[in-house]
Amino acid sequence: MKQKKTVALLDYGAGNIRSAHRALERVGADVTVTSDAKTAVEADGLLVPGVGAYAACMEGLRKAQGPRIIGQRLAGGRPVMGICVGLQVLFESGDEHGVHTEGCGEWPGRVERLHSDVLPHMGWNTVEVPEGSRMFAGLNADERYYFVHSYGVREWTLETEITTPPKVAWAEHGGDRFVAAVENGALWATQFHPEKSGDAGAVLLENWMKTL
């Protein structure tokens, strides 16, 4: 009998743990909700959720040794996936409610308030998928994913001349473009919620599970 891949769902006080847990089990993962650093480092995959304010999420993440756990896993090429604010904290910094907060710094860039007249951006939206994406493999270009956020990364500044540049997906709300997903070697992340995106979200999570 084929052994299930283990996924550590990092519990640092700022995530939609329950729905993410169910979605991962749906695609065949052996899920452990944990704040234990050793468990998080040693699992086949690590999922970093995130709901709420950037500063509060970073505070909780630091208390749980999240930046060190993420860095240690990536140094060994071990898969990590961030969702919603779990994507945002991977960038250098966030400016939210007048507060500037340093992030994990895995990617250059700043999280800022979107410029759309209607916020939050809440509901279903399409995504501009980069060519050759493994994250969106098997999904149609007109698939819709569930978003709920008022802040995002509006500029991608990482050099594209590197040997294997990250694949960046974009979305648009009210004429404002922002990063919807990033696929960067062992590090994947989505601004939308795959765990709330129905069958399309399940396919995306299955694609991630194939990398574990």
Side-chain angles (χ1 to χ4, degrees), residues 32-98:
T32 300
V33 177
T34 185
S35 57
D36 177 69
K38 186 173 185 291
T39 302
V41 168
E42 293 181 353
D44 294 320
L46 174 69
L47 190 136
V48 182
V51 175
Y54 189 100
C57 284
M58 276 308 304
E59 181 181 3
L61 198 60
R62 289 194 182 98
K63 286 180 179 177
Q65 303 179 62
R68 183 182 69 80
I69 292 167
I70 293 168
Q72 191 171 338
R73 287 187 62 90
L74 294 177
R78 312 201 71 190
V80 176
M81 182 169 182
I83 290 176
C84 196
V85 184
L87 169 141
Q88 296 179 3
V89 296
L90 296 170
F91 286 84
E92 282 179 330
S93 65
D95 292 313
E96 193 167 327
H97 307 302

Side-chain angles (χ1 to χ4, degrees), residues 63-145:
K63 286 180 179 177
Q65 303 179 62
R68 183 182 69 80
I69 292 167
I70 293 168
Q72 191 171 338
R73 287 187 62 90
L74 294 177
R78 312 201 71 190
V80 176
M81 182 169 182
I83 290 176
C84 196
V85 184
L87 169 141
Q88 296 179 3
V89 296
L90 296 170
F91 286 84
E92 282 179 330
S93 65
D95 292 313
E96 193 167 327
H97 307 302
V99 177
H100 179 81
T101 306
E102 295 300 314
C104 294
E106 294 295 337
W107 298 313
R110 179 169 63 96
V111 177
E112 60 181 314
R113 187 173 176 84
L114 299 180
H115 289 186
S116 172
D117 292 336
V118 179
L119 292 174
H121 169 219
M122 182 167 62
W124 299 83
N125 203 348
T126 55
V127 170
E128 300 170 25
V129 176
E131 188 176 346
S133 169
R134 290 193 299 162
M135 183 187 294
F136 292 92
L139 290 163
N140 296 325
D142 59 354
E143 293 283 4
R144 303 177 81 83
Y145 306 88

